[in-house]
Amino acid sequence: MHLPRQSHFRVVKPLGPSDVLPSCPGWAGFGLALAPLNVAQQVRSIRLFEIYNYGPWNNPQLGLYGFGEADTSSSMILLPGVTASIWGPSVAMLADAMGVTLDGIDEAHHVIHADEDFEIASGRIANGTVSGMSFEIRGIVDGEARIVIEHITKLRREDFPEHGLDDCYRVVIDGEPNIKVDMSLTSDFGDSTHAGYIVAVTPVTNAIPAVCAAPAGVLPYLDLPPHGARGLL
């Protein structure tokens, strides 16, 4: 699957001051990777993770994942092309940041099934039904998956223990040096999901002054000047 390179900010009023609109979700899918890339001497591959326990989240949209079903036939997120259409632009932008051309973008996933009945905030998950999944959006360079976004979405803290037990966003760079960066979120006003909502919005709102000051036209995220710190303290 081939996707054009896309910016994360689009001009809404091309003849006037620039407005912003994210073209794909999640600052952790690109912004968190930029700082460690700045200190790398060589990069063989980069992998970004979202590792999240959705069990405490009372949201009927969890049904879109197919949790609690016998198989993934009802999982809209795992339909062919869906994850690439959502996260593919982030993969393409990271390729752009590193100056490489993608051969294409593909997808992969696997699911786990509950080994017992258990309760989550949205209801009961029966033994033998889908209780977690990992899906990857993979940027292919020279025939290999070199730029990968992977989501570990689970309903119990203890599942996928190879990735750790706690919610976090992670960047892993295989290169020189090898780099691993974890970002965990908490909030004084809610749980980690509430904190995640804030982080989903603030990359856009904090960029508004810089975007408004720019000439009218398309402004790629990578072309924005440093921003976001003034007025926060």
Side-chain angles (χ1 to χ4, degrees):
M1 179 177 184
H2 293 269
L3 293 177
R5 295 178 180 179
Q6 297 187 26
S7 68
H8 280 256
F9 295 93
R10 297 175 181 169
V11 173
V12 178
K13 300 189 290 290
L15 298 180
S18 299
D19 287 336
V20 297
L21 180 68
S23 62
C24 63
W27 176 84
F30 57 95
L32 186 61
L34 297 181
L37 283 173
N38 284 337
V39 299
Q41 183 182 60
Q42 178 189 25
V43 176
R44 289 181 289 269
S45 67
I46 180 169
R47 183 176 288 262
L48 293 84
F49 294 86
E50 178 185 284
I51 304 167
Y52 240 81
N53 174 16
Y54 281 18
W57 189 25
N58 186 6
N59 192 320
Q61 290 185 356
L62 291 182
L64 299 176
Y65 289 81
F67 293 136
E69 302 293 336
D71 55 40
T72 60
S73 59
S74 65
S75 174
M76 295 185 65
I77 197 73
L78 296 183
L79 289 174
V82 171
T83 58
S85 70
I86 298 172
W87 288 278
S90 291
V91 172
M93 196 183 72
L94 284 172
D96 198 19
M98 291 187 284
V100 299
T101 300
L102 294 176
D103 302 335
I105 295 176
D106 68 13
E107 305 170 304
H109 71 267
H110 78 274
V111 301
I112 61 173
H113 294 79
D115 54 6
E116 61 181 356
D117 294 348
F118 64 91
E119 297 285 339
I120 62 172
S122 294
R124 172 175 287 269
I125 302 297
N127 184 20
T129 63
V130 176
S131 62
M133 63 182 60
S134 166
F135 56 82
E136 300 179 1
I137 305 88
R138 308 186 297 193
I140 309 301
V141 180
D142 296 331
E144 297 184 14
R146 300 288 187 90
I147 304 172
V148 181
I149 294 177
E150 181 174 359
H151 278 231
I152 309 294
T153 305
K154 56 186 181 178
L155 301 180
R156 296 183 297 186
R157 184 172 181 266
E158 63 268 24
D159 290 332
F160 295 99
E162 66 273 23
H163 296 290
L165 299 180
D166 296 320
D167 297 343
C168 78
Y169 298 92
R170 176 174 296 155
V171 179
V172 176
I173 295 176
D174 174 26
E176 185 57 40
N178 298 306
I179 302 172
K180 177 182 175 182
V181 177
D182 280 7
M183 180 178 75
S184 299
L185 304 174
T186 62
S187 170
D188 293 336
F189 303 100
D191 58 12
S192 60
T193 300
H194 178 85
Y197 290 153
I198 296 172
V199 173
V201 173
T202 48
V204 175
T205 57
N206 287 340
I208 289 174
V211 174
C212 289
V218 175
L219 180 64
Y221 181 86
L222 293 173
D223 292 341
L224 281 174
H227 62 277
R230 292 184 179 178
L232 300 183
L233 181 61

